[in-house]
Amino acid sequence: MAAAPPALSWALPLLAALAGAGGPQSFELPGAPIDNIEVSSGGVLVAGGSCLYELRPELRLRHRVVPAAAGQVCGEPPGMRSNLLLPYVEAGGKGVLLAGWTQKDGTCEVWEQPAYRQRFNRSEVVSCLPDGSTAGVVFQLAGAWYLAVAATYSTGSYGNYLGCEPSQSDKATVITVRSMNNLESKEELGIIKRKDEPLHFVDALQWGDHLFFPYYTLKARAGNSTEPPSMAVLRQLRPSEGGLTLQGHVYLDCGCRTLIVSSSLVRQGERGWWVGVFLYKQDAKAWNATAVCIFGMEEMKEQACASKHFCFLMSDFQEARSIKKLPTLIHSGLVAVYGTVVLNQIVLFLGTDDGQLLKAILNEDMESNCPEILYEIKEETSVFPKLRLDPVDNNYIYLSSANKVRRIPVANCSRYISEQECLSVKDPYCGWCSLTQRCTLKENCTRSNSIKGWYNISHAPDKDLKIQLSFPARNQVCNPVLCMFVYCGLKCVILSLIAASLLLSPCYMYYIHSIEPLWISTLGKSEITVKGENFTRASGIKLILTGITGCKPDIIKVRNVLNDTQMTFALPPTRKEAKSICIQANGKKCSPPMTLHYVSPPSCLAITPNTSWISGGRKITTIGRNFNVVDSVIISDDQRSNLTVSLNLLYNTKYRPLDGLGFVLKGKVVDMMLKVETTFIPCVKLHYHPDPVFINYQLHTELDPDLELKIYKENDNLNISKTEVEVYLSYMNGAQTKKIWFSVQNITKKPDRSTILCKFKREGTDKIDFSTVKVFVKLGNFEHEVKPTSSHVYLYVLILLPIVVAAFIVTRYKSKELTRKQSQQLELLEYEIRKEIREGFAELQMDELDVVDSFGTVPFLDYKHFALRTFFPESGGFASIFSEDMPQSRDQTSKDESFNMLHALICNKNFLVTLIHTLEKQKNFSVKDRCLFASFLTIALQTKLVYLTHILEVLTKDLMEQSSNVQPKLLLRRTESVVEKLLTNWMSVCLSGFLRETIGEPFYLLVTTLNQRINKGPVDAITCKALYTLNEDWLLWQVSEFKTTVNIIFEKIPENESGDACQTIQVNVLDCDTIGQAKEKSLQAFLNKNGFLYGLQLDEIGLELVSEEQQRELLDIDGSSEVMEDGIRKLNTIGHYEISNGATIKVFKKKVTTRSDMDYSDEHCHLILPDSEANKDVKGAGHKGKQKFKVKEMYLTKLLSTKVAIHSVVEKLFRSIWSLPNNKAPVAIKYFFDFLDAQAESKKITDPDVVHIWKTNSLPLRFWVNILKNPQFVFDIKKTSHIDGCLSVIAQAFMDAFSLAEQTLGKEAPTNKLLYAKDIPHYKEEVKAYYKAIRDLPPLTTSEVEEFLTQESKKHENEFNENVALNEIYRYIAKYHEEIDSKLERERGFEDVQKQLRQVKALFDEKKKCKWI
């Protein structure tokens, strides 16, 4: 084999690293990118997709943990990510893991390993912002464990995240120290606050008794600042004092770079260094955009004495200091670093933004060698900022990117052949094994413990070896930006001297204008062009190409000076990176450097479409990488005849070459290749088919002036879209030929032919001579005249005339035959009706529903979300405002005088009642405003329920006074006043515990049973109508015949080591189910059998039919889908694929996650066919021949059968609501019912119906119906429209039970009333007994009521940010301030209150000026 050319010598290490069969060990997260990675003593912890995965060192799955902050499965809720993973070992060897998540206001969960038993969790510990930073370290002090965490809790003016921003008092907090016993933030342990500028923290490190936090300002990230990054240093106080305090911060100057992207601590005995990757700005891609700088830990500790960024009361801080270091290594796209010491040498592992893992070895002067490429990710995805060594075997490092983590060897020693080469490379991992005479890792040499058995450069024996030990000299590159920081107090002034693009000579000057191209492949470039001035006068022109620090630069002589303004160079092949390129002449300094990008050769990932017609001209879109370095696109056939085609580069990852072939034959397959220099890179294959065949056309002119044109074509495999077709009509207008271009509406495909529907809207008055019309179709280079359907009409007449005569002869005979057949059809119709009625009756008497006895844990919402959904059922925006918790330190929030005074005003009963009455008299104070005001008031007084109850009493009495003179029975019937909404909220607060403990389980059982019943029969995937339902509006009567496939086998993908390789599950799937519905049923069957959810989401799985002949993927829409006349496509079903009972179906993970299978538009249909197809043939199992006669009323028995099936569940729910467990009523109900009885007595209302109606309006109508119709208020579930329709029927029956009116229902009454007509009388008796039982209970004492309300108030402390509610209340006060102030002025005894109100207004106005609210 010939030796590799010197120009390609750089590629040999990479090829050797990639030569291992099968690639490195790896683990891929299912459908989610990696958020975090950390190593523990026994393996690797990887977080992503709201789940945590514990892997063995060789990356085999050991555990998968779903945190409490997430949903029941991985991937929920969307957007949740991990921002903190801190494992540590307590005394006795017990492993503990602290994990931080962005969900629920930045939750931290503490688990005990290896069982992952949760100790506790606490919110508001880490950042909950999508791009907020969090860095933490666990340390031990005086025998106790603590967490020091730095986080971006607030981004200030750089972003607004509703529901995540902390309270006003906590917005400035950036560093806290917390005990691991409870993770509470305390002043005595340490709370560090920032000044004005928000900060982004990169890492947290412990060095001795100090903690270090590298960070930069968000202003720098936005590109609005040149202030360098900093290192904040905290020192531990004496053990007797406890906690930590801020020592200060110091600037880290790494060549004017303002951001830090990765960090690593390198320890060597008592010495330590911090290694950071610095970046100019986030969108920079220059050759020197990133750099590695190394700082001593002791030096940073000594110099950290400034407090420019932090609030601190001590006055002994000094002016900001800066530690300036020359970059150890410069590169265009470093994103990750990990440093370690091996045999007294520092080794840096570096990750790049294009998927490379580099290894650099430093000498004692901290100078780097030419970094080695250890591994390169094929997809070129960016490396995750955290690199970690294998904790068990330090000869491996974990490389993370996208959703995959890989285990990569730290060295590839076997590529060094000789002893001299092995030792000369100076890699401390590699040494010479004298036993095997190979270059190996120390662990791979059996006599490695002997110095004579394995040795490397650190302890080579005395042998006559010619070893080159010198490092190449550091490249001296002219930097275009010279920066110097001058610190005046705490201000940093940046002086920039921009190097000119002008090179001076004693005799002349010349300019460099541009270099083209600046993007080339690693194969090199035979010619690049440099443009400028005065080139012919220069001598000794050279191009200097400098890559990553430590590697020898390329010095290239000019190839050709074309003229005074242009010259060319040839660039050699090299490694993938961005390099600096400059021009040197006459031995002078280089021109200001530009960035030249060496990228990997282009590659193709996909092509669409992959077919064309013989005439060519079709637009082909190819997707891939690095297309901007392609010289041309070549089409080649098997005879090696090549053709260069025109192309259009849309962007770097997509080409649209215009296919121009016209010489290929039918069925030809050609190769599309990309030409880069002299290399041809295979891309994709194109299939050529005959030109499309157009049969004829029909032109409809009766819609004058609009024209409709239908063109019929033969079916083919070209998959032509409507955007590719051009249709025009030509006609004669006198001596001129005119054209009309049609708009192609759609293309529908039928088994025998396809139809192209075109339309044209005429706007002029020109008349068209249809006798001269010609129709043309154009596709790319192919253009064809289509003939009309009437061109052979005379021939057709001659052919059909004998047939017509013969038909006339047999007409008399046929008429008799038709009469006989019609009689048979009537008999068949009568039989079908009898059959449907009999089957409905039999089903009603015999059918039973297998109710799931155990449905796992009921997914209750927490109190906060339950309350918000009931307080703000139609105002999601307001609900999101209160999603944040109250800060734990209420003392800090209490310092806001304006809110304190407003709260005190609201706690004045006379003022609050007057305020509400005044607001309700304003015309602009709408019903919506009244409801919102009541909800804000409920939240503001959430911890003062006793006072809120007194207000409720007063307002209810006032409302009775308004209603008693008109219609007392209408009291509390509607929600038109503040008190009516206030009563709803009060019931929700006081009955939340009763709802959860007593009603929750039967209610969830009802929702689950309803879902099960609906899915037992056919369900239309588009409209969601079902054969089994309670609501006539949701009844699917068009389809009744279906078969149940009970033995379909689904194969399970193993999710962990302990699981079986595959698992077979019997699933009840109907032949009329779509593939998406079959997926849902299979996932539900898996949950029912195993008790836990499947590891993949619905969008991530596919179904595949397995048979001896073939394996076919099942899709809702594919090439075999039926297309209706009007272009509507019918969804594929189990019956469409003719899957027999007992067939094998495999569940597999999709490579690419697509949209939900149930997300279809109006252009699709399932069981309910379009009107135009109502009388056409209906294909599929059970529907062959003509569509059967169907009447909706024939299937109303399905409503009754559904009602019977769930009747026991409904009654259990009803009786759990209107029963008294242990002969005790909930305190809130007993209290309010007694209050209503007392008011009726005081008003001398003797009609018992009035009190009954009051109680019904206040509890069942105002609270229970709202709950019954909205299960999503109570449970963490999604309510479908169909479930809503069924629950409306049940809720109506529930309310009918409380009605005093006697129902007289006729045959024409609505079905939802008729369903429960016989049950309502029994329910009414039970309700009356319920009301009587409550009235007969001993009355509650005032102390009992107040004790209950006080306990409820304590339960809900810190649930809501009350200041937000107060702020919203003040908005109404401010809007109607004049009216309120006037009312107070007219009333006696409100003088002090009026002064307080004016003071509140003055305080809020002052805050508004400061933009605080």
Side-chain angles (χ1 to χ4, degrees):
M1 181 178 177
L8 292 177
S9 60
W10 62 271
L12 292 179
L14 177 59
L15 294 175
L18 299 177
Q25 294 168 320
S26 64
F27 175 81
E28 188 173 351
L29 268 66
I34 293 174
D35 297 330
N36 212 337
I37 183 171
E38 197 53 77
V39 294
S40 61
S41 57
V44 194
L45 301 168
V46 182
S50 71
C51 274
L52 178 69
Y53 302 85
E54 182 186 350
L55 311 177
R56 300 182 187 274
E58 65 276 13
L59 298 184
R60 288 190 296 120
L61 182 64
R62 181 183 284 151
H63 289 292
R64 187 188 68 180
V65 185
V66 181
Q72 295 181 344
V73 295
C74 296
E76 293 183 359
M80 174 178 171
R81 63 181 184 87
S82 166
N83 52 20
L84 196 64
L85 288 178
L86 295 176
Y88 67 99
V89 180
E90 293 180 338
K94 179 178 289 185
V96 180
L97 174 63
L98 183 147
W101 307 87
T102 57
Q103 192 66 9
K104 295 187 178 178
D105 298 337
T107 297
C108 255
E109 300 186 13
V110 179
W111 292 316
E112 291 181 359
Q113 295 177 303
Y116 287 91
R117 184 184 69 83
Q118 187 184 103
R119 286 185 177 178
F120 63 90
N121 65 74
R122 178 167 290 277
S123 61
E124 291 190 356
V125 179
V126 300
S127 174
C128 62
L129 301 174
D131 56 350
S133 66
T134 299
V137 59
V138 175
F139 62 96
Q140 198 170 14
L141 180 62
W145 287 94
Y146 297 90
L147 166 69
V149 60
T152 308
Y153 296 109
S154 172
T155 57
S157 61
Y158 297 99
N160 184 19
Y161 301 98
L162 287 179
C164 188
E165 286 283 336
S167 60
Q168 188 71 29
S169 60
D170 287 339
K171 283 188 176 181
T173 301
V174 288
I175 303 176
T176 57
V177 181
R178 303 162 184 260
S179 170
M180 284 302 299
N181 292 330
N182 51 26
L183 289 182
E184 290 184 1
S185 174
K186 296 182 179 180
E187 288 282 358
E188 57 267 25
L189 292 179
I191 296 178
I192 312 298
K193 295 181 178 291
R194 62 171 170 82
K195 292 184 179 177
D196 297 334
E197 202 59 47
L199 309 176
H200 185 97
F201 294 89
V202 180
D203 205 350
L205 315 161
Q206 182 182 11
W207 177 254
D209 57 356
H210 286 67
L211 301 181
F212 295 74
F213 297 90
Y215 69 91
Y216 56 85
T217 64
L218 291 191
K219 188 176 181 181
R221 186 174 70 178
N224 301 327
S225 172
T226 54
E227 184 179 10
S230 297
M231 180 72 76
V233 180
L234 272 65
R235 61 179 175 86
Q236 298 177 5
L237 299 173
R238 292 186 296 274
S240 60
E241 299 176 20
L244 283 85
T245 186
L246 176 69
Q247 177 178 309
H249 76 90
V250 59
Y251 285 115
L252 306 177
D253 184 357
C254 184
C256 307
R257 294 169 179 85
T258 56
L259 306 178
I260 306 173
V261 293
S262 186
S263 160
S264 179
L265 175 60
V266 180
R267 303 174 186 268
Q268 186 181 25
E270 296 182 355
R271 300 199 306 171
W273 298 271
W274 177 76
V275 184
V277 174
F278 291 74
L279 172 68
Y280 273 127
K281 55 183 180 179
Q282 288 186 316
D283 56 349
K285 189 60 179 174
W287 61 273
N288 60 347
T290 61
V292 173
C293 283
I294 302 177
F295 298 82
M297 299 299 291
E298 292 297 327
E299 182 182 11
M300 290 190 295
K301 184 174 71 174
E302 293 171 0
Q303 297 292 330
C305 55
S307 66
K308 178 182 179 181
H309 298 137
F310 303 98
C311 301
F312 207 71
L313 298 178
M314 295 179 64
S315 58
D316 58 348
F317 284 98
Q318 303 175 17
E319 292 184 354
R321 298 180 183 178
S322 175
I323 304 176
K324 186 172 184 177
K325 297 291 182 182
L326 291 176
T328 297
L329 192 145
I330 295 177
H331 188 273
S332 60
L334 295 178
V335 293
V337 64
Y338 182 86
T340 185
V341 176
V342 183
L343 299 178
N344 294 322
Q345 282 189 281
I346 294 179
V347 179
L348 300 182
F349 297 94
L350 304 162
T352 69
D353 58 2
D354 55 2
Q356 287 185 327
L357 177 63
L358 311 177
K359 181 175 70 175
I361 302 167
L362 310 186
N363 63 9
E364 55 189 21
D365 295 326
M366 294 296 181
E367 294 175 335
S368 171
N369 70 338
C370 184
E372 170 192 358
I373 301 176
L374 276 183
Y375 185 79
E376 192 163 7
I377 298 172
K378 180 181 178 182
E379 296 79 11
E380 298 189 354
T381 52
S382 180
V383 173
F384 190 70
K386 284 187 179 181
L387 299 171
R388 293 292 184 264
L389 279 181
D390 186 329
V392 178
D393 185 353
N394 288 162
N395 291 325
Y396 290 91
I397 190 168
Y398 295 114
L399 174 70
S400 306
S401 179
N403 67 329
K404 197 171 187 178
V405 56
R406 300 168 174 86
R407 186 171 181 253
I408 309 296
V410 295
N412 185 27
C413 305
S414 60
R415 69 187 180 95
Y416 306 117
I417 307 302
S418 66
E419 181 180 3
Q420 177 178 340
E421 187 180 7
C422 180
L423 300 179
S424 297
V425 75
K426 303 181 310 240
D427 188 337
Y429 283 104
C430 295
W432 189 257
C433 183
S434 60
L435 181 65
T436 60
Q437 291 294 298
R438 293 173 56 202
C439 189
T440 67
L441 294 167
K442 186 176 182 180
E443 287 74 9
N444 293 343
C445 184
T446 55
R447 295 173 58 189
S448 59
N449 293 330
S450 169
I451 194 170
K452 294 183 179 179
W454 183 91
Y455 52 90
N456 71 353
I457 193 61
S458 64
H459 52 269
D462 296 332
K463 300 180 70 174
D464 186 16
L465 298 176
K466 297 179 179 179
I467 303 173
Q468 299 176 356
L469 298 179
S470 62
F471 279 80
R474 184 185 293 245
N475 298 324
Q476 300 297 326
V477 181
C478 180
N479 194 322
V481 180
L482 305 176
C483 295
M484 177 176 65
F485 288 88
V486 181
Y487 294 96
C488 304
L490 296 177
K491 295 183 179 179
C492 171
V493 181
I494 302 174
L495 305 179
S496 301
L497 301 176
I498 309 299
S501 61
L502 174 65
L503 296 179
L504 300 178
S505 174
C507 301
Y508 65 91
M509 60 181 68
Y510 70 91
Y511 297 88
I512 304 297
H513 293 162
S514 65
I515 302 176
E516 295 177 355
L518 287 175
W519 290 79
I520 65 174
S521 76
T522 52
L523 301 172
K525 189 70 174 175
S526 60
E527 182 176 280
I528 68 166
T529 302
V530 179
K531 296 181 179 179
E533 298 178 27
N534 300 325
F535 291 160
T536 55
R537 303 180 188 180
S539 62
I541 301 176
K542 300 175 184 177
L543 182 149
I544 299 179
L545 200 59
T546 307
I548 189 171
T549 306
C551 299
K552 184 178 179 181
D554 293 304
I555 300 175
I556 304 163
K557 294 182 179 180
V558 65
R559 181 181 179 186
N560 189 11
V561 178
L562 302 177
N563 49 47
D564 204 39
T565 60
Q566 293 189 43
M567 56 184 172
T568 62
F569 294 85
L571 299 186
T574 185
R575 65 200 288 171
K576 181 177 64 176
E577 62 178 315
K579 295 175 178 283
S580 72
I581 180 173
C582 66
I583 309 297
Q584 186 183 53
N586 303 322
K588 303 296 182 180
K589 290 184 179 180
C590 251
S591 64
M594 298 183 181
T595 301
L596 176 73
H597 298 271
Y598 271 97
V599 297
S600 58
S603 61
C604 298
L605 301 178
I607 179 173
T608 178
N610 64 351
T611 60
S612 183
W613 44 83
I614 291 177
S615 297
R618 192 171 200 181
K619 290 183 179 180
I620 305 293
T621 300
T622 307
I623 300 173
R625 286 195 302 269
N626 300 331
F627 285 163
N628 54 344
V629 300
V630 174
D631 296 324
S632 60
V633 178
I634 305 297
I635 300 294
S636 174
D637 64 357
D638 52 7
Q639 275 77 40
R640 294 291 181 261
S641 55
N642 296 341
L643 178 67
T644 302
V645 299
S646 60
L647 53 88
N648 174 24
L649 180 63
L650 295 183
Y651 44 88
N652 191 25
T653 59
K654 185 179 286 188
Y655 259 128
R656 293 191 66 181
L658 190 62
D659 177 7
L661 294 187
F663 58 83
V664 295
L665 302 176
K666 176 181 178 182
K668 188 80 169 182
V669 179
V670 298
D671 293 311
M672 189 173 112
M673 296 179 292
L674 308 177
K675 184 175 181 293
V676 182
E677 291 298 301
T678 58
T679 302
F680 294 87
I681 301 172
C683 183
V684 291
K685 292 184 179 295
L686 282 175
H687 299 262
Y688 276 87
H689 298 283
D691 290 332
V693 176
F694 296 93
I695 306 170
N696 49 43
Y697 72 84
Q698 285 183 349
L699 183 62
H700 298 277
T701 61
E702 61 272 10
L703 301 175
D704 190 65
D706 296 345
L707 296 180
E708 182 179 277
L709 177 66
K710 288 185 178 180
I711 300 176
Y712 301 99
K713 64 178 286 291
E714 293 183 1
N715 290 335
D716 50 42
N717 296 319
L718 291 171
N719 293 322
I720 297 172
S721 67
K722 66 178 185 179
T723 57
E724 296 180 284
V725 182
E726 294 179 272
V727 177
Y728 68 91
L729 176 150
S730 69
Y731 66 95
M732 299 302 297
N733 186 1
Q736 293 183 342
T737 301
K738 291 194 174 184
K739 292 183 179 180
I740 292 176
W741 292 89
F742 281 82
S743 171
V744 179
Q745 302 296 309
N746 58 55
I747 301 176
T748 58
K749 186 176 182 180
K750 284 195 166 185
D752 56 339
R753 65 182 183 181
S754 298
T755 304
I756 303 175
L757 178 62
C758 311
K759 290 186 178 180
F760 171 74
K761 187 175 183 64
R762 285 190 290 173
E763 297 179 355
T765 57
D766 292 344
K767 296 295 182 179
I768 298 177
D769 184 359
F770 290 103
S771 63
T772 63
V773 162
K774 293 182 179 180
V775 174
F776 296 88
V777 177
K778 191 175 186 303
L779 291 97
N781 298 338
F782 174 71
E783 187 169 355
H784 178 72
E785 180 186 351
V786 186
K787 300 299 181 182
T789 55
S790 58
S791 58
H792 303 291
V793 63
Y794 299 110
L795 179 61
Y796 292 158
V797 170
L798 291 176
I799 295 174
L800 292 176
L801 186 58
I803 299 175
V804 172
V805 174
F808 178 77
I809 295 174
V810 299
T811 298
R812 295 176 62 84
Y813 172 78
K814 288 291 183 179
S815 62
K816 295 181 180 180
E817 188 70 15
L818 179 60
T819 303
R820 185 180 63 83
K821 285 187 177 182
Q822 285 178 342
S823 177
Q824 291 178 347
Q825 288 177 354
L826 288 173
E827 292 178 1
L828 179 61
L829 176 60
E830 182 182 354
Y831 167 77
E832 288 293 336
I833 294 175
R834 288 200 306 268
K835 177 185 174 185
E836 293 288 353
I837 295 174
R838 181 174 293 276
E839 287 180 353
F841 175 77
E843 180 183 33
L844 191 60
Q845 299 300 321
M846 302 172 61
D847 191 28
E848 294 182 0
L849 180 66
D850 298 326
V851 179
V852 180
D853 295 329
S854 176
F855 42 74
T857 305
V858 179
F860 285 109
L861 289 172
D862 57 19
Y863 171 78
K864 178 195 290 186
H865 290 87
F866 161 74
L868 288 176
R869 293 187 183 187
T870 52
F871 293 174
F872 305 101
E874 298 177 357
S875 302
F878 287 106
S880 63
I881 296 176
F882 295 98
S883 62
E884 63 180 40
D885 292 336
M886 276 291 288
Q888 296 171 12
S889 178
R890 294 178 62 87
D891 295 336
Q892 297 175 7
T893 58
S894 64
K895 295 178 183 178
D896 194 320
E897 185 180 358
S898 60
F899 286 124
N900 287 344
M901 291 192 66
L902 179 59
H903 191 268
L905 264 180
I906 291 176
C907 289
N908 184 319
K909 183 172 70 173
N910 293 331
F911 167 76
L912 183 56
V913 172
T914 304
L915 171 66
I916 293 173
H917 288 330
T918 305
L919 290 176
E920 288 184 326
K921 290 179 180 178
Q922 309 308 313
K923 293 182 179 180
N924 295 334
F925 193 64
S926 63
V927 172
K928 180 180 179 182
D929 290 330
R930 298 172 192 219
C931 293
L932 290 175
F933 185 87
S935 295
F936 295 142
L937 186 62
T938 308
I939 293 175
L941 299 176
Q942 186 84 182
T943 57
K944 296 182 180 294
L945 285 179
V946 175
Y947 172 66
L948 181 65
T949 306
H950 290 325
I951 296 298
L952 182 64
E953 288 181 358
V954 173
L955 294 176
T956 305
K957 291 176 182 178
D958 292 346
L959 186 65
M960 289 177 176
E961 293 297 330
Q962 298 172 15
S963 306
S964 59
N965 297 328
V966 187
Q967 280 290 341
K969 293 183 179 181
L970 297 180
L971 180 72
L972 302 176
R973 185 172 182 178
R974 299 182 179 90
T975 304
E976 296 178 346
S977 62
V978 172
V979 64
E980 288 169 310
K981 177 59 177 176
L982 197 63
L983 176 59
T984 301
N985 296 346
W986 185 84
M987 286 288 185
S988 300
V989 173
C990 296
L991 294 180
S992 60
F994 177 71
L995 174 62
R996 189 182 185 98
E997 296 166 8
T998 307
I999 311 301
E1001 187 172 324
F1003 186 25
Y1004 186 66
L1005 178 63
L1006 171 62
V1007 177
T1008 305
T1009 307
L1010 261 177
N1011 266 318
Q1012 182 179 346
R1013 181 65 184 180
I1014 290 170
N1015 290 321
K1016 183 178 180 180
V1019 179
D1020 185 71
I1022 305 299
T1023 64
C1024 296
K1025 292 186 177 183
L1027 185 62
Y1028 295 109
T1029 182
L1030 282 178
N1031 195 317
E1032 183 179 354
D1033 295 335
W1034 290 92
L1035 176 63
L1036 176 68
W1037 56 272
Q1038 290 87 341
V1039 176
S1040 62
E1041 297 180 7
F1042 57 92
K1043 297 177 182 178
T1044 304
T1045 307
V1046 296
N1047 294 319
I1048 292 182
I1049 301 173
F1050 292 83
E1051 295 185 4
K1052 172 183 172 288
I1053 302 173
E1055 282 296 301
N1056 51 55
E1057 294 179 3
S1058 60
D1060 298 332
C1062 62
Q1063 189 179 40
T1064 58
I1065 302 174
Q1066 291 186 345
V1067 184
N1068 293 328
V1069 179
L1070 310 181
D1071 63 342
C1072 57
D1073 283 342
T1074 66
I1075 307 305
Q1077 290 173 334
K1079 288 184 192 178
E1080 289 183 325
K1081 290 185 177 181
S1082 64
L1083 292 181
Q1084 185 63 41
F1086 182 91
L1087 173 62
N1088 294 342
K1089 181 175 181 180
N1090 296 287
F1092 55 88
L1093 292 169
Y1094 192 56
L1096 299 175
Q1097 302 296 308
L1098 183 67
D1099 294 346
E1100 297 175 327
I1101 67 169
L1103 300 183
E1104 186 176 66
L1105 177 63
V1106 179
S1107 62
E1108 296 180 358
E1109 296 81 10
Q1110 62 175 350
Q1111 292 187 354
R1112 182 179 185 183
E1113 182 179 358
L1114 307 180
L1115 298 170
D1116 279 333
I1117 293 294
D1118 60 13
S1120 67
S1121 300
E1122 184 179 355
V1123 181
M1124 303 295 173
E1125 176 69 25
D1126 49 3
I1128 295 179
R1129 303 184 75 180
K1130 190 176 181 182
L1131 300 184
N1132 296 339
T1133 62
I1134 296 294
H1136 170 82
Y1137 286 106
E1138 298 182 353
I1139 299 175
S1140 59
N1141 190 10
T1144 300
I1145 293 181
K1146 178 181 178 183
V1147 177
F1148 68 94
K1149 177 187 175 184
K1150 292 182 179 179
K1151 293 182 179 179
V1152 179
T1153 301
T1154 57
R1155 69 174 187 174
S1156 171
D1157 295 274
M1158 305 304 290
D1159 182 19
Y1160 293 105
S1161 64
D1162 295 336
E1163 297 179 357
H1164 301 86
C1165 69
H1166 177 205
L1167 299 176
I1168 301 178
L1169 304 182
D1171 293 338
S1172 59
E1173 296 290 324
N1175 299 318
K1176 303 287 181 72
D1177 289 348
V1178 180
K1179 298 185 178 181
H1183 298 284
K1184 293 183 178 179
K1186 292 292 182 180
Q1187 183 168 337
K1188 296 181 179 181
F1189 178 78
K1190 294 183 182 297
V1191 179
K1192 180 180 180 180
E1193 284 70 18
M1194 292 167 55
Y1195 299 97
L1196 292 181
T1197 55
K1198 303 299 182 184
L1199 306 180
L1200 187 56
S1201 68
T1202 303
K1203 183 249 185 181
V1204 170
I1206 67 169
H1207 189 61
S1208 61
V1209 182
V1210 172
E1211 289 200 335
K1212 181 180 179 181
L1213 173 62
F1214 284 3
R1215 284 165 183 153
S1216 65
I1217 293 176
W1218 58 53
S1219 63
L1220 300 180
N1222 301 321
N1223 201 30
K1224 289 184 179 180
V1227 173
I1229 297 176
K1230 172 61 177 171
Y1231 156 75
F1232 199 77
F1233 278 16
D1234 286 355
F1235 168 75
L1236 293 176
D1237 287 333
Q1239 293 306 307
E1241 186 176 350
S1242 67
K1243 294 182 179 301
K1244 298 181 181 180
I1245 296 177
T1246 58
D1247 185 358
D1249 290 356
V1250 173
V1251 182
H1252 181 100
I1253 292 172
W1254 284 0
K1255 294 177 180 179
T1256 299
N1257 291 346
S1258 62
L1259 180 65
L1261 179 64
R1262 190 149 299 283
F1263 177 70
W1264 286 124
V1265 166
N1266 194 31
I1267 296 298
L1268 291 180
K1269 294 181 66 175
N1270 297 284
Q1272 77 279 9
F1273 286 4
V1274 185
F1275 311 115
D1276 187 12
I1277 60 175
K1278 293 180 180 179
K1279 180 183 71 172
T1280 64
S1281 300
H1282 194 155
I1283 287 291
D1284 180 67
C1286 294
L1287 291 177
S1288 296
V1289 175
I1290 295 173
Q1292 181 64 54
F1294 179 80
M1295 280 311 303
D1296 288 343
F1298 287 86
S1299 174
L1300 293 174
E1302 294 296 331
Q1303 290 187 337
T1304 55
L1305 301 176
K1307 296 180 180 179
E1308 300 300 325
T1311 53
N1312 61 334
K1313 289 278 189 180
L1314 293 172
L1315 269 180
Y1316 286 92
K1318 290 187 177 181
D1319 303 294
I1320 297 301
H1322 302 292
Y1323 293 160
K1324 286 185 175 183
E1325 294 301 321
E1326 294 181 16
V1327 167
K1328 290 179 180 178
Y1330 170 63
Y1331 279 178
K1332 182 178 184 303
I1334 294 177
R1335 188 173 60 253
D1336 293 343
L1337 289 174
L1340 297 171
T1341 64
T1342 304
S1343 60
E1344 287 176 331
V1345 176
E1346 290 185 352
E1347 181 183 359
F1348 166 77
L1349 295 173
T1350 303
Q1351 291 177 354
E1352 290 297 314
S1353 297
K1354 290 181 179 179
K1355 288 180 185 178
H1356 309 319
E1357 285 183 351
N1358 299 330
E1359 287 284 0
F1360 298 100
N1361 192 336
E1362 295 171 3
N1363 286 354
V1364 176
L1366 290 171
N1367 191 61
E1368 295 297 329
I1369 291 173
Y1370 177 75
R1371 293 181 189 274
Y1372 287 107
I1373 295 177
K1375 183 176 181 180
Y1376 302 104
H1377 180 265
E1378 292 184 4
E1379 292 82 354
I1380 298 169
D1381 189 71
S1382 176
K1383 177 66 175 178
L1384 295 177
E1385 194 169 352
R1386 291 194 303 269
E1387 298 289 334
R1388 291 183 180 180
F1390 282 98
E1391 292 80 6
D1392 293 339
V1393 173
Q1394 189 178 19
K1395 291 180 181 179
Q1396 293 176 22
L1397 179 61
R1398 291 174 180 175
Q1399 290 176 2
V1400 168
K1401 185 176 186 301
L1403 287 172
F1404 272 90
D1405 288 346
E1406 184 65 26
K1407 289 174 64 176
K1408 190 173 183 181
K1409 293 178 183 178
C1410 298
K1411 298 182 179 179
W1412 286 4
I1413 58 173

